[in-house]
mmCIF file of all heavy atoms in Angstrom:
data_model
loop_
_atom_site.group_PDB
_atom_site.id
_atom_site.type_symbol
_atom_site.label_atom_id
_atom_site.label_comp_id
_atom_site.label_asym_id
_atom_site.label_seq_id
_atom_site.Cartn_x
_atom_site.Cartn_y
_atom_site.Cartn_z
ATOM 1 N N THR A 1 5.713 -56.339 40.427
ATOM 2 C CA THR A 1 6.497 -56.092 39.224
ATOM 3 C C THR A 1 5.668 -55.271 38.244
ATOM 4 O O THR A 1 4.449 -55.197 38.366
ATOM 5 C CB THR A 1 6.898 -57.412 38.551
ATOM 6 O OG1 THR A 1 5.708 -58.134 38.228
ATOM 7 C CG2 THR A 1 7.777 -58.240 39.450
ATOM 8 N N GLY A 2 6.313 -54.681 37.286
ATOM 9 C CA GLY A 2 5.589 -53.934 36.270
ATOM 10 C C GLY A 2 6.331 -52.687 35.862
ATOM 11 O O GLY A 2 7.464 -52.444 36.271
ATOM 12 N N VAL A 3 5.685 -51.898 35.060
ATOM 13 C CA VAL A 3 6.253 -50.645 34.587
ATOM 14 C C VAL A 3 5.380 -49.504 35.110
ATOM 15 O O VAL A 3 4.157 -49.576 35.040
ATOM 16 C CB VAL A 3 6.372 -50.633 33.045
ATOM 17 C CG1 VAL A 3 5.025 -50.741 32.371
ATOM 18 C CG2 VAL A 3 7.107 -49.417 32.555
ATOM 19 N N GLY A 4 6.026 -48.481 35.664
ATOM 20 C CA GLY A 4 5.282 -47.324 36.166
ATOM 21 C C GLY A 4 4.677 -46.520 35.030
ATOM 22 O O GLY A 4 3.519 -46.139 35.069
ATOM 23 N N HIS A 5 5.479 -46.260 34.008
ATOM 24 C CA HIS A 5 4.993 -45.593 32.810
ATOM 25 C C HIS A 5 6.007 -45.765 31.685
ATOM 26 O O HIS A 5 7.169 -46.061 31.922
ATOM 27 C CB HIS A 5 4.704 -44.103 33.061
ATOM 28 C CG HIS A 5 5.921 -43.264 33.335
ATOM 29 N ND1 HIS A 5 6.454 -43.124 34.598
ATOM 30 C CD2 HIS A 5 6.699 -42.539 32.511
ATOM 31 C CE1 HIS A 5 7.505 -42.331 34.541
ATOM 32 N NE2 HIS A 5 7.688 -41.962 33.283
ATOM 33 N N VAL A 6 5.534 -45.579 30.469
ATOM 34 C CA VAL A 6 6.369 -45.601 29.279
ATOM 35 C C VAL A 6 6.455 -44.159 28.797
ATOM 36 O O VAL A 6 5.424 -43.525 28.562
ATOM 37 C CB VAL A 6 5.772 -46.501 28.169
ATOM 38 C CG1 VAL A 6 6.616 -46.443 26.908
ATOM 39 C CG2 VAL A 6 5.604 -47.923 28.662
ATOM 40 N N ALA A 7 7.673 -43.620 28.685
ATOM 41 C CA ALA A 7 7.843 -42.217 28.313
ATOM 42 C C ALA A 7 8.498 -42.088 26.946
ATOM 43 O O ALA A 7 9.392 -42.854 26.605
ATOM 44 C CB ALA A 7 8.679 -41.489 29.364
ATOM 45 N N TYR A 8 8.055 -41.102 26.207
ATOM 46 C CA TYR A 8 8.635 -40.765 24.916
ATOM 47 C C TYR A 8 9.041 -39.299 24.924
ATOM 48 O O TYR A 8 8.261 -38.444 25.337
ATOM 49 C CB TYR A 8 7.615 -40.940 23.775
ATOM 50 C CG TYR A 8 7.373 -42.359 23.371
ATOM 51 C CD1 TYR A 8 6.317 -43.083 23.905
ATOM 52 C CD2 TYR A 8 8.172 -42.975 22.422
ATOM 53 C CE1 TYR A 8 6.080 -44.390 23.519
ATOM 54 C CE2 TYR A 8 7.934 -44.281 22.025
ATOM 55 C CZ TYR A 8 6.887 -44.980 22.584
ATOM 56 O OH TYR A 8 6.652 -46.265 22.188
ATOM 57 N N ARG A 9 10.257 -39.036 24.450
ATOM 58 C CA ARG A 9 10.676 -37.646 24.254
ATOM 59 C C ARG A 9 10.261 -37.254 22.850
ATOM 60 O O ARG A 9 10.627 -37.903 21.858
ATOM 61 C CB ARG A 9 12.185 -37.480 24.406
ATOM 62 C CG ARG A 9 12.601 -36.033 24.225
ATOM 63 C CD ARG A 9 14.077 -35.822 24.521
ATOM 64 N NE ARG A 9 14.366 -34.409 24.521
ATOM 65 C CZ ARG A 9 15.151 -33.809 23.629
ATOM 66 N NH1 ARG A 9 15.741 -34.526 22.689
ATOM 67 N NH2 ARG A 9 15.368 -32.514 23.700
ATOM 68 N N CYS A 10 9.498 -36.184 22.735
ATOM 69 C CA CYS A 10 9.056 -35.695 21.429
ATOM 70 C C CYS A 10 10.213 -34.993 20.721
ATOM 71 O O CYS A 10 11.183 -34.588 21.348
ATOM 72 C CB CYS A 10 7.874 -34.753 21.605
ATOM 73 S SG CYS A 10 6.404 -35.589 22.239
ATOM 74 N N SER A 11 10.106 -34.832 19.430
ATOM 75 C CA SER A 11 11.193 -34.271 18.627
ATOM 76 C C SER A 11 11.298 -32.755 18.722
ATOM 77 O O SER A 11 12.308 -32.186 18.313
ATOM 78 C CB SER A 11 11.042 -34.700 17.166
ATOM 79 O OG SER A 11 9.806 -34.235 16.658
ATOM 80 N N SER A 12 10.282 -32.097 19.264
ATOM 81 C CA SER A 12 10.297 -30.638 19.404
ATOM 82 C C SER A 12 9.145 -30.230 20.313
ATOM 83 O O SER A 12 8.226 -31.023 20.552
ATOM 84 C CB SER A 12 10.124 -29.972 18.032
ATOM 85 O OG SER A 12 8.815 -30.229 17.537
ATOM 86 N N PRO A 13 9.152 -28.993 20.791
ATOM 87 C CA PRO A 13 7.993 -28.522 21.568
ATOM 88 C C PRO A 13 6.707 -28.545 20.743
ATOM 89 O O PRO A 13 5.629 -28.843 21.258
ATOM 90 C CB PRO A 13 8.371 -27.088 21.953
ATOM 91 C CG PRO A 13 9.850 -27.008 21.824
ATOM 92 C CD PRO A 13 10.227 -28.002 20.754
ATOM 93 N N GLU A 14 6.833 -28.269 19.455
ATOM 94 C CA GLU A 14 5.661 -28.280 18.576
ATOM 95 C C GLU A 14 5.117 -29.696 18.410
ATOM 96 O O GLU A 14 3.899 -29.905 18.374
ATOM 97 C CB GLU A 14 6.015 -27.678 17.205
ATOM 98 C CG GLU A 14 6.416 -26.221 17.243
ATOM 99 C CD GLU A 14 7.844 -25.957 17.705
ATOM 100 O OE1 GLU A 14 8.670 -26.899 17.733
ATOM 101 O OE2 GLU A 14 8.142 -24.800 18.051
ATOM 102 N N ALA A 15 6.011 -30.680 18.289
ATOM 103 C CA ALA A 15 5.574 -32.076 18.183
ATOM 104 C C ALA A 15 4.866 -32.503 19.463
ATOM 105 O O ALA A 15 3.852 -33.213 19.410
ATOM 106 C CB ALA A 15 6.768 -32.986 17.897
ATOM 107 N N LEU A 16 5.381 -32.070 20.608
ATOM 108 C CA LEU A 16 4.721 -32.367 21.881
ATOM 109 C C LEU A 16 3.314 -31.776 21.891
ATOM 110 O O LEU A 16 2.351 -32.464 22.257
ATOM 111 C CB LEU A 16 5.545 -31.832 23.053
ATOM 112 C CG LEU A 16 4.909 -31.933 24.434
ATOM 113 C CD1 LEU A 16 4.596 -33.373 24.811
ATOM 114 C CD2 LEU A 16 5.816 -31.287 25.483
ATOM 115 N N ALA A 17 3.174 -30.538 21.470
ATOM 116 C CA ALA A 17 1.846 -29.891 21.438
ATOM 117 C C ALA A 17 0.890 -30.636 20.510
ATOM 118 O O ALA A 17 -0.291 -30.814 20.845
ATOM 119 C CB ALA A 17 1.991 -28.434 21.004
ATOM 120 N N ARG A 18 1.388 -31.105 19.368
ATOM 121 C CA ARG A 18 0.531 -31.859 18.432
ATOM 122 C C ARG A 18 0.067 -33.177 19.040
ATOM 123 O O ARG A 18 -1.092 -33.558 18.917
ATOM 124 C CB ARG A 18 1.274 -32.115 17.121
ATOM 125 C CG ARG A 18 1.431 -30.895 16.238
ATOM 126 C CD ARG A 18 1.920 -31.261 14.838
ATOM 127 N NE ARG A 18 3.184 -31.970 14.824
ATOM 128 C CZ ARG A 18 4.383 -31.380 14.784
ATOM 129 N NH1 ARG A 18 4.472 -30.065 14.755
ATOM 130 N NH2 ARG A 18 5.489 -32.104 14.751
ATOM 131 N N ARG A 19 0.973 -33.892 19.705
ATOM 132 C CA ARG A 19 0.613 -35.173 20.321
ATOM 133 C C ARG A 19 -0.366 -34.954 21.468
ATOM 134 O O ARG A 19 -1.316 -35.721 21.625
ATOM 135 C CB ARG A 19 1.855 -35.909 20.828
ATOM 136 C CG ARG A 19 2.709 -36.549 19.778
ATOM 137 C CD ARG A 19 2.005 -37.718 19.079
ATOM 138 N NE ARG A 19 1.469 -37.299 17.809
ATOM 139 C CZ ARG A 19 0.407 -37.801 17.210
ATOM 140 N NH1 ARG A 19 -0.266 -38.783 17.739
ATOM 141 N NH2 ARG A 19 -0.032 -37.348 16.068
ATOM 142 N N VAL A 20 -0.142 -33.931 22.288
ATOM 143 C CA VAL A 20 -1.058 -33.628 23.397
ATOM 144 C C VAL A 20 -2.447 -33.328 22.848
ATOM 145 O O VAL A 20 -3.453 -33.827 23.359
ATOM 146 C CB VAL A 20 -0.536 -32.462 24.263
ATOM 147 C CG1 VAL A 20 -1.604 -31.947 25.217
ATOM 148 C CG2 VAL A 20 0.709 -32.899 25.038
ATOM 149 N N ALA A 21 -2.525 -32.542 21.777
ATOM 150 C CA ALA A 21 -3.820 -32.230 21.159
ATOM 151 C C ALA A 21 -4.502 -33.497 20.654
ATOM 152 O O ALA A 21 -5.721 -33.663 20.811
ATOM 153 C CB ALA A 21 -3.632 -31.229 20.025
ATOM 154 N N ALA A 22 -3.730 -34.420 20.071
ATOM 155 C CA ALA A 22 -4.306 -35.675 19.572
ATOM 156 C C ALA A 22 -4.846 -36.519 20.718
ATOM 157 O O ALA A 22 -5.937 -37.098 20.610
ATOM 158 C CB ALA A 22 -3.252 -36.462 18.785
ATOM 159 N N VAL A 23 -4.106 -36.593 21.814
ATOM 160 C CA VAL A 23 -4.566 -37.375 22.970
ATOM 161 C C VAL A 23 -5.820 -36.743 23.562
ATOM 162 O O VAL A 23 -6.799 -37.433 23.869
ATOM 163 C CB VAL A 23 -3.456 -37.497 24.040
ATOM 164 C CG1 VAL A 23 -3.985 -38.171 25.299
ATOM 165 C CG2 VAL A 23 -2.264 -38.265 23.492
ATOM 166 N N GLU A 24 -5.805 -35.427 23.734
ATOM 167 C CA GLU A 24 -6.964 -34.742 24.324
ATOM 168 C C GLU A 24 -8.206 -34.867 23.456
ATOM 169 O O GLU A 24 -9.323 -34.905 23.974
ATOM 170 C CB GLU A 24 -6.633 -33.275 24.588
ATOM 171 C CG GLU A 24 -5.646 -33.098 25.723
ATOM 172 C CD GLU A 24 -5.286 -31.655 26.005
ATOM 173 O OE1 GLU A 24 -5.277 -30.829 25.053
ATOM 174 O OE2 GLU A 24 -4.997 -31.358 27.170
#
């Protein structure tokens, strides 16, 4: 049992780029 992954849809391509930069 368990979860494979938790996914979030970002609000824009720019928001995705900002979050990726923060994670990296």
Side-chain angles (χ1 to χ4, degrees):
T1 59
V3 62
H5 68 274
V6 177
Y8 283 95
R9 181 174 188 246
C10 294
S11 60
S12 67
E14 296 79 16
L16 174 60
R18 287 192 302 272
R19 285 293 100 209
V20 168
V23 174
E24 290 180 329

